[in-house]
Amino acid sequence: MFCFCSGMVFKPTIHDRDFSLHRTQRPLAELRADAQGFVRFNCSKCPRTGKVRLAKLRERFPPTEGLVDILLRLTPTDCEFAERSPWGTRQCGFCYRDLDCEAPP
């Protein structure tokens, strides 16, 4: 996105972008299952896939639990493609397939 003002072009910086969606967790209560009642997962770094019944997630976690927190608890710890983040955590590409996954390279 560019702003054209008096003939000059201003390119927005990273600080001009709205990152509020990345800071806000959606609660488990908003998660929807597929037609068979499953929530599906993929890894964006490898061909690993998985699925869990939404009913099982709702038994295990309260409806107000954030989807990011749930994903962190479900993320496999043996991903060979995981990389260390500056915070010391191993970053796997595990994600909700129907919400935010990209295909592995």
Side-chain angles (χ1 to χ4, degrees), residues 34 38-41 49-53:
D34 65 10
F38 287 98
V39 174
R40 297 175 294 171
F41 302 92
T49 63
K51 62 183 179 180
V52 175
R53 287 209 176 272

Side-chain angles (χ1 to χ4, degrees), residues 74-92:
L74 298 176
T75 298
T77 57
D78 62 345
C79 180
E80 62 183 277
F81 297 101
E83 302 164 353
R84 287 256 177 234
S85 75
W87 302 275
T89 57
R90 290 183 49 85
Q91 298 296 315
C92 179

Side-chain angles (χ1 to χ4, degrees), residues 30-85:
E30 291 183 13
L31 186 61
R32 300 291 172 246
D34 65 10
Q36 291 81 34
F38 287 98
V39 174
R40 297 175 294 171
F41 302 92
N42 276 3
C43 180
S44 61
K45 298 181 180 183
C46 73
R48 183 183 302 222
T49 63
K51 62 183 179 180
V52 175
R53 287 209 176 272
L54 180 57
K56 288 287 186 188
L57 287 177
R58 289 185 174 158
E59 286 174 12
R60 186 173 170 191
F61 302 101
T64 56
E65 185 79 23
L67 294 181
V68 174
D69 292 338
I70 292 171
L71 187 66
L72 289 174
R73 291 186 192 162
L74 298 176
T75 298
T77 57
D78 62 345
C79 180
E80 62 183 277
F81 297 101
E83 302 164 353
R84 287 256 177 234
S85 75

